[in-house]
Amino acid sequence: RYLAMVDFALGHDRVIAILQPAIDADGTADEGRTPALSPIGTLGRITHFTEETEKRYLIALTGLTRFEVVEEAATLTPFRQVRINTDVFAADLDPGRGENDVDRPAFLGVLREYAEFASFEIDWENLEKMGLEDLINACVMASPYGPRERQALLEAGDLRQRAEMLTALAEMEMNRSQPGSSLQ
């Protein structure tokens, strides 16, 4: 079904809606045959693709905007399709919006601490050159968190809230590993 979805996207507008299964109250994703979908997702445009074999693509997606699901479409395709509304996320189309509301040095400080804690190798020279929005969103994509945390990061109201949530998650994880921590 994923091959059919990519073929369909390549033959049309090259856009794919990315959604994860809905998160239950206990924090787990619905793993059923046709799981319920999370109410908020992301649109990605296929900006590069390579057909590796007859049954494999390597694709690069560029994020466009978040969306809310209006309804799932009844289709005969092997992949699911949704009708969406992007109006509430119009600010996503304004690159760099909210960067001035984020304390970049503080965010980088926590990122340095977390990289050391988790033994990540980071190219700090190139990272320093990144726009803050790209940096924060790259951290979200690379984060080791589960579906509930990832969905919360996606649904954060603005860039500052996303940065604060990433910072809080990293600090909680680092504190949990401290001897005598009540978070263990």
Side-chain angles (χ1 to χ4, degrees):
R1 72 176 183 251
Y2 295 115
L3 288 171
M5 179 182 67
V6 171
D7 284 338
F8 182 88
L10 289 172
H12 291 82
D13 54 12
R14 294 184 176 227
V15 174
I16 294 175
I18 303 157
L19 288 159
Q20 67 178 358
I23 309 301
D24 295 334
D26 66 358
T28 60
D30 181 355
E31 300 290 337
R33 179 156 170 76
T34 308
L37 298 172
S38 291
I40 306 295
T42 304
L43 283 181
R45 179 178 303 282
I46 298 173
T47 52
H48 180 78
F49 77 96
T50 305
E51 192 171 353
E52 293 291 302
T53 66
E54 187 175 311
K55 296 186 178 191
R56 182 178 167 147
Y57 286 116
L58 291 177
I59 63 173
L61 293 175
T62 298
L64 300 174
T65 185
R66 294 172 289 169
F67 63 83
E68 60 185 358
V69 175
V70 173
E71 68 178 335
E72 185 164 355
T75 68
L76 297 176
T77 61
F79 53 91
R80 296 168 79 175
Q81 296 183 45
V82 292
R83 287 181 178 65
I84 64 170
N85 177 13
T86 60
D87 293 346
V88 72
F89 299 110
D92 288 359
L93 300 174
D94 186 7
R97 184 178 181 147
E99 288 184 343
N100 293 333
D101 298 330
V102 178
D103 184 344
R104 183 183 181 107
F107 183 79
L108 287 173
V110 172
L111 181 57
R112 283 185 188 280
E113 287 177 44
Y114 188 79
E116 185 177 317
F117 163 79
S119 301
F120 286 138
E121 298 234 358
I122 294 180
D123 181 350
W124 292 104
E125 185 177 323
N126 281 326
L127 186 133
E128 293 281 349
K129 296 175 188 174
M130 289 180 77
L132 191 54
E133 179 182 33
D134 289 339
L135 172 60
I136 291 167
N137 290 334
C139 288
V140 169
M141 289 187 295
S143 71
Y145 306 116
R148 175 180 271 175
E149 292 85 0
R150 286 180 169 277
Q151 190 66 31
L153 288 162
L154 176 66
E155 293 180 16
D158 58 30
L159 194 61
R160 180 187 52 77
Q161 289 176 354
R162 189 170 301 119
E164 288 173 354
M165 193 178 303
L166 269 173
T167 298
L169 288 167
E171 288 174 341
M172 286 187 332
E173 187 175 345
M174 291 185 290
N175 287 336
R176 230 183 263 128
S177 71
Q178 297 296 321
S181 170
S182 62
L183 298 174
Q184 289 182 337

